[in-house]
Amino acid sequence: MTEAGGPASGRRRGRRPGKVVLGSRPAHSVRLPPPSRSGPAALATEHPRAERTVPWLRVAAAYAWRLILVGIVVYGVFTILGRFQLVAVALFIALVVTSVLRPLADLLNRLLPRPLCVAVVLVGSVLLVSALLAFVGEAVAGEWAQLAEELRGGIHRIERWLQGPPFRISPGRLTALQDQLLAYLSAHRASLLNSALSGLGRIVELVTAGALALFTSVFFIHSGERLWRWARDVLLPAGARPVWDRAGHAAWRAFAGYTRGIIIVAATNAVLVGAALILLRVPLALPLMLLEFFATFVPLVGSPVALGVATVVALAGRGPITALAVLLLIVVIGQLEGHVLHPLVMGWSVRLHPLVVAVSVIAGSIVAGVIGAVVAVPFVSVVWAVLSALRPAPP
């Protein structure tokens, strides 16, 4: 019997695991399942080599097809709205009117019946807008003869200014340009007439959209909440109603806040521009003030365009010094609007970066022209408010 410290035990201790010793008895081999591994080695066997080497590509692909689906849905929505552009514009105007007049109707409802409140706010707003337009038209008509004479004198001043340094355009060249302009108008008289007639058709469409918007806003102001509850209960299953209700209220708060804020900003810009133009004695100050009010509804773009028109009128009516003063007014109004009015008035309702606003306005103008530029920012604001409302709260 071999002792524990004998050579046999030494040989057994000297063997290495897995090494075959010649002349030994073959053992019965049993195949055991491979041990479970975790970590990078396990991931390397479970995923292909491409997914293992570029994980960012896998994440980008996952986001890409979702973004493609969202883009298809948005494109389809805008295509459908383009087919029914008149109805879409009327509903948008009705929502704007409702967001402005609904708080006033709720305030009057404490004293008067609801139908009478709706009639008072709608008729009062229509009368106020009509009186404002009549006042502007009467002011322009009363000063038309003087304005025409000032504009003719302004055109002669512009011609003398172009003849001097730094342009030094000869009088013959200016006369040739005028003759070319008159020849172009004479040659394209038929196309210009057709454009004017099509413009009259657009005016008829706008009047129709305004009538439809006024009719729709009556029901929105009177019973908008009941209409929303009816649509929610009829069109949606019971499980989806709380989510859609939360999203709908968030969308309305964002839209109403943006509308009221942009009206306050537009009114402030119009008052400041009108006061400056009156002090500078620029012709057509009141129409230019009204143009500034409506142009502010296109953020970052509309106000400079309206003030550019005012600059041309100031150059023709008052000369280059006044025109330079109006150009300086463009810079001042832009800084005031971007750094004071928008943060103070609209910061509590719409929190969008200026880059997002600029891209939205440009994209909207490409898709639907001026209407798209007006609708783009409130649309993006509503979408962002809905996403923020549906996002789960952090723990």
Side-chain angles (χ1 to χ4, degrees):
M1 187 172 180
T2 308
E3 297 179 359
S9 64
R11 285 196 302 270
R12 283 195 298 269
R13 286 195 302 266
R15 292 177 186 174
R16 288 177 301 189
K19 184 177 181 181
V20 179
V21 180
L22 294 177
S24 62
R25 183 180 176 181
H28 295 281
S29 62
V30 178
R31 185 178 298 274
L32 299 176
S36 61
R37 293 177 294 178
S38 60
L43 293 177
T45 58
E46 293 176 1
H47 299 285
R49 182 177 179 81
E51 295 184 0
R52 194 167 16 104
T53 54
V54 283
W56 60 268
L57 185 60
R58 186 169 63 253
V59 176
Y63 277 103
W65 70 265
R66 291 176 173 86
L67 291 175
I68 290 173
L69 288 180
V70 172
I72 292 173
V73 171
V74 172
Y75 178 78
V77 169
F78 275 100
T79 302
I80 294 173
L81 292 178
R83 295 286 184 181
F84 301 96
Q85 186 177 9
L86 182 63
V87 179
V89 171
L91 290 177
F92 178 77
I93 296 174
L95 290 175
V96 171
V97 173
T98 304
S99 64
V100 175
L101 299 182
R102 178 69 183 267
L104 184 58
D106 294 338
L107 185 62
L108 291 177
N109 196 22
R110 300 176 181 178
L111 303 174
L112 302 174
R114 189 69 181 181
L116 186 58
C117 296
V118 175
V120 167
V121 296
L122 283 176
V123 173
S125 60
V126 170
L127 291 177
L128 180 62
V129 173
S130 301
L132 179 62
L133 294 177
F135 175 71
V136 172
E138 184 180 358
V140 173
E143 300 176 1
W144 183 251
Q146 182 182 357
L147 291 176
E149 185 177 355
E150 288 183 355
L151 290 176
R152 282 195 296 268
I155 292 174
H156 292 300
R157 284 195 296 270
I158 292 174
E159 291 179 354
R160 291 197 301 269
W161 179 53
L162 292 176
Q163 293 174 9
F167 300 100
R168 299 188 181 279
I169 300 177
S170 61
R173 180 61 179 168
L174 292 175
T175 305
L177 289 175
Q178 292 178 359
D179 294 339
Q180 290 177 3
L181 179 60
L182 294 176
Y184 177 82
L185 294 177
S186 300
H188 298 81
R189 185 179 303 170
S191 61
L192 292 175
L193 182 61
N194 292 330
S195 299
L197 293 177
S198 63
L200 291 177
R202 298 292 292 180
I203 292 176
V204 173
E205 291 181 359
L206 289 177
V207 171
T208 306
L212 181 58
L214 185 63
F215 178 75
T216 309
S217 61
V218 171
F219 297 96
F220 284 172
I221 298 174
H222 181 268
S223 55
E225 194 71 23
R226 277 187 292 170
L227 290 175
W228 167 254
R229 286 197 299 266
W230 174 84
R232 180 197 62 190
D233 296 338
V234 171
L235 301 177
L236 298 176
R241 290 170 189 171
V243 177
W244 280 86
D245 194 57
R246 188 167 71 250
H249 283 86
W252 175 248
R253 284 194 301 268
F255 182 83
Y258 174 82
T259 304
R260 296 165 192 162
I262 198 66
I263 288 176
I264 293 173
V265 173
T268 306
N269 282 357
V271 170
L272 293 176
V273 169
L277 294 179
I278 291 174
L279 290 176
L280 294 172
R281 294 186 298 171
V282 176
L284 304 175
L286 290 178
L288 291 174
M289 178 180 173
L290 194 62
L291 177 63
E292 171 67 20
F293 175 79
F294 288 109
T296 309
F297 284 90
V298 183
L300 301 178
V301 178
S303 181
V305 171
L307 288 176
V309 175
T311 303
V312 175
V313 174
L315 180 62
R318 300 295 299 171
I321 304 300
T322 306
L324 289 176
V326 177
L327 283 177
L328 181 61
L329 184 64
I330 294 177
V331 179
V332 173
I333 294 295
Q335 294 297 319
L336 182 65
E337 179 182 351
H339 294 87
V340 178
L341 294 178
H342 274 280
L344 289 178
V345 176
M346 302 181 65
W348 54 273
S349 59
V350 180
R351 295 176 178 86
L352 294 179
H353 195 274
L355 180 61
V356 177
V357 174
V359 173
S360 303
V361 171
I362 295 174
S365 63
I366 293 173
V367 173
V370 178
I371 298 175
V374 174
V375 177
V377 178
F379 177 78
V380 174
S381 303
V382 167
V383 171
W384 180 250
V386 170
L387 292 177
S388 301
L390 297 181
R391 185 182 303 160

